[in-house]
Amino acid sequence: MSKDLRSFLAEVVAQRPDDVQVVDTPVDPRFGITAWGAEYESRNQYPAFLFTNVEGRATSCISNLTATWERMALALGTDVHTLQTSTNLNEGRTLHEPVEVSADEAPVKEIIWTGDDADLDRLPIPTHNHADGGPYLTAAVGIMRDPLTEEINAGIYRHHVYDSKTMGVWFFGSHHGGTIYRRYEEKMEGAPIALAIGHHPGFLMGAVSRVPGIGGEYKAAGAFLDESVELVRAETSDLMVPARAEIIIEGFIRPGERVEEGPFAEWPGLYVAGGPKPVIEVTAITMRRDAIFQDIQSAGQEHRLMGALPRIASVQANVSKVVDELTGVNIPLHSRMHCYVSIKKTNDGEPTRAAFAALNTEPENLRMIIVVDDDIDVHDEQAVSWAVGTRFDAEHDFQVIPHWNGPAGLLPTNWEYDEEGERTARMSSACIVDATKPAPPIKYPDRAYVPIEAREEVDPAVATNMPADFTPPPVRCPPPARGGPPPGGGRGGGGGGPPPPPHRPLP
Ligand SMILES: Cc1cc2nc3c(=O)[nH]c(=O)nc-3n(C[C@H](O)[C@H](O)[C@H](O)COP(=O)(O)O)c2cc1C
Ligand SMILES: [Mn+2]
């Protein structure tokens, strides 16, 4: 049985029964879906929600499916520790070429809507956050073919639904989707695009990984799935789309047209990146008989985790090429502009090289790299903060890289504001915090610890709550200090003999 959203749901239900919550009472697609994710997030809980009764819509909707490290580890056949620490998420995985199947073998062809039936309003597309400009597709994998190389490329892009037939698309910075679109637009041709919605998380991971060069995402997805992605021909273009997706929306991006898009709350938790954007015109929608639409909880933990996880893998791959020993990378979910890198440092140039490799992996979003030694756990915020406090001297260990990020984009600092409050896009800076100790042979003060053998002797079971009427035991006679150890061994052994002096003599 090939992997898809359903095979993964079955696995989650079998191994983590509390992790999928079915909601069958009516929910409003406007805030009613994201309300569940937000309410649970406020309690630090992140189950997936399967809504079977979205008011006025044709299909069910699942959200928050990829919101936890645990479920992503399950999806990728690993454990949380390996997921967070392996030097390259794709290491040890085999790229699998996709395979073509016929429409008869493709579940996503069970229902085919064209013409007026291909109506976006039938789908349970949520409006996510309070000031969003409308419903947004957040988990749709946008598939396009590069007209120059014929390679098929994929990525998740946000889509503002304007009406039943049109929606926006935002290609950010250097992302390939935008390059492909511009190549069609130069010839004033529509750019065919297909949006695949609802698949195994391994498929999504392939789509959002920074695969070098245009295309290759289906193969990367094959690596995460450990099997070939099954593809089928689209109805209204020559694109090849995943046969086991839940829903495919087909269309083309109109050349030379821009429509105001946004506002939309992005992963920094802010309404950013709105403005004129290209427009997709829908030509067909195909789906399973009992299709489940998939949503990613935008500006929630799910959004941040799905952005951070593939980037951590890419940073690991790139930094390990420039330092002798990379020991950890974390892009913290609460602040995805930061990146913590730990290295076993052998010379003082390494932290800067490591930081630049990290910045170059993700120039659009990362802007503060904190480099620490290998004794610091990059997943422990307190440890990272302690390293900055004890091993970082701003005058010597802080570097500012001006004109690094922007113009505009997702960071609100990438704007110049005038007295009227108007803003102009500008570049902003990145910085490097080198919180590593000086390289050998310099001896830095040792870090204190209680010997581990002593800690192993601690048995919490012997400790009891102090009673209200506790009285401390009377002073006991210490054992003799002179004339050898008392027969009974340690202190208070009651072995007799003369008591030692109350204070040990100073040397
Ligand atoms: C939930 C989510 C939403 C995303 N939204 C966008 C987006 O709106 N625009 C964009 O360009 N990239 C977005 N990304 C990032 C791209 O999908 C990702 O960088 C991908 O590798 C780009 O592929 P490409 O360079 O082949 O176009 C999003 C990623 C995630 C996980
Ligand atoms: Mn690509």
Side-chain angles (χ1 to χ4, degrees), residues 34-58:
T34 50
W36 282 80
E39 183 54 31
Y40 275 66
E41 178 158 349
S42 75
R43 304 173 199 173
N44 215 13
Q45 292 170 356
Y46 302 91
F49 300 102
L50 180 54
F51 302 97
T52 56
N53 191 354
V54 185
E55 285 168 354
R57 306 304 161 114

Side-chain angles (χ1 to χ4, degrees), residues 286-332:
T286 79
M287 65 181 74
R288 294 177 184 242
R289 201 172 292 121
D290 51 358
I292 303 172
F293 177 90
Q294 187 176 4
D295 176 65
I296 286 177
Q297 176 92 14
S298 76
Q301 171 157 307
E302 182 174 34
H303 198 170
R304 297 190 296 272
L305 192 146
M306 281 307 283
L309 182 56
R311 287 173 171 80
I312 290 171
S314 307
V315 171
Q316 284 168 338
N318 289 341
V319 176
S320 60
K321 288 183 193 139
V322 300
V323 297
D324 282 352
E325 197 175 335
L326 172 68
T327 49
V329 173
N330 184 25
I331 295 176

Side-chain angles (χ1 to χ4, degrees), residues 265-270 272 299 303-304 334 336-337 410-412:
E266 274 288 348
W267 58 262
L270 298 166
V272 282
H303 198 170
R304 297 190 296 272
H334 54 270
R336 246 185 62 195
M337 313 78 178
L410 288 172
L411 302 177

